[in-house]
């Protein structure tokens, strides 16, 4: 598929896609004779994964490590399992942090709603 289709299917701009390619995050691309990029269907999955990992706070280096491990046919299973465990642990820590923030925001929302209600009731 051409970059316009990948852009449409992932919601990621062509400039970002090219950056991902240069950064080694997106390797599922070939060049045609006319030098146009030809992306494999697998590229859609990779781009979505990059976006999800970025949203969770992973650095591009960490994302590259995960993708390289997934791409490699020769990865040591123990090493790969350890890498996945580390990344999973980081995700779980982030989830815990987000739950704390959500709780704090909920408490602040209730406080503000109570304050707003008190102001409406005051003469």
């Amino acid at each position: 598929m051409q970059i316009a289709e990948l852009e449409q299917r992932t919601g990621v701009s062509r400039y970002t896609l090219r950056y991902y390619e240069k950064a080694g995050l997106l390797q599922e691309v070939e060049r045609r004779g006319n030098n146009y990029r030809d992306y494999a269907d697998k590229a859609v999955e990779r781009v979505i994964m990059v976006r999800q990992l970025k949203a969770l706070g992973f650095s591009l280096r960490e994302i590259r490590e995960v993708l390289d491990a997934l791409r490699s046919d020769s990865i040591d299973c123990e090493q790969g399992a350890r890498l996945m465990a580390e990344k999973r642990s980081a995700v779980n820590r982030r989830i815990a942090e987000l739950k704390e923030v959500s709780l704090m925001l909920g408490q602040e929302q209730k406080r503000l709603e109570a304050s707003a209600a008190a102001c409406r009731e005051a003469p």
Side-chain angles (χ1 to χ4, degrees):
M1 85 186 78
Q2 291 186 350
I3 197 165
E5 183 180 347
L6 183 60
E7 182 179 31
Q8 181 183 22
R9 290 176 63 182
T10 62
V12 174
S13 76
R14 66 188 58 222
Y15 306 105
T16 301
L17 293 170
R18 288 183 187 129
Y19 177 77
Y20 287 171
E21 184 182 343
K22 287 178 188 173
L25 301 174
L26 187 57
Q27 297 176 358
E28 294 75 20
V29 60
E30 294 181 14
R31 294 285 184 157
R32 295 184 189 169
N34 58 6
N35 207 29
Y36 282 18
R37 290 170 173 86
D38 187 24
Y39 294 91
D41 288 334
K42 188 82 168 168
V44 173
E45 179 183 316
R46 295 294 190 216
V47 171
I48 290 170
M49 182 182 291
V50 169
R51 289 183 66 195
Q52 290 170 335
L53 292 173
K54 278 187 64 183
L56 289 169
F58 282 74
S59 70
L60 293 182
R61 182 188 56 76
E62 291 172 322
I63 294 170
R64 192 176 313 105
E65 286 177 12
V66 170
L67 292 176
D68 288 347
L70 292 173
R71 286 185 189 109
S72 176
D73 290 334
S74 61
I75 188 168
D76 175 83
C77 291
E78 190 173 325
Q79 176 189 3
R82 199 169 31 253
L83 175 63
M84 293 304 132
E86 289 172 11
K87 300 309 176 191
R88 186 169 177 243
S89 179
V91 167
N92 288 334
R93 281 193 304 275
R94 184 73 172 138
I95 289 169
E97 291 170 1
L98 290 171
K99 285 181 178 180
E100 288 179 23
V101 169
S102 179
L103 180 62
M104 185 269 308
L105 291 173
Q107 291 169 344
E108 187 64 15
Q109 176 187 357
K110 287 178 184 177
R111 185 190 68 76
L112 291 169
E113 287 171 348
S115 178
C119 288
R120 284 192 301 270
E121 293 174 3

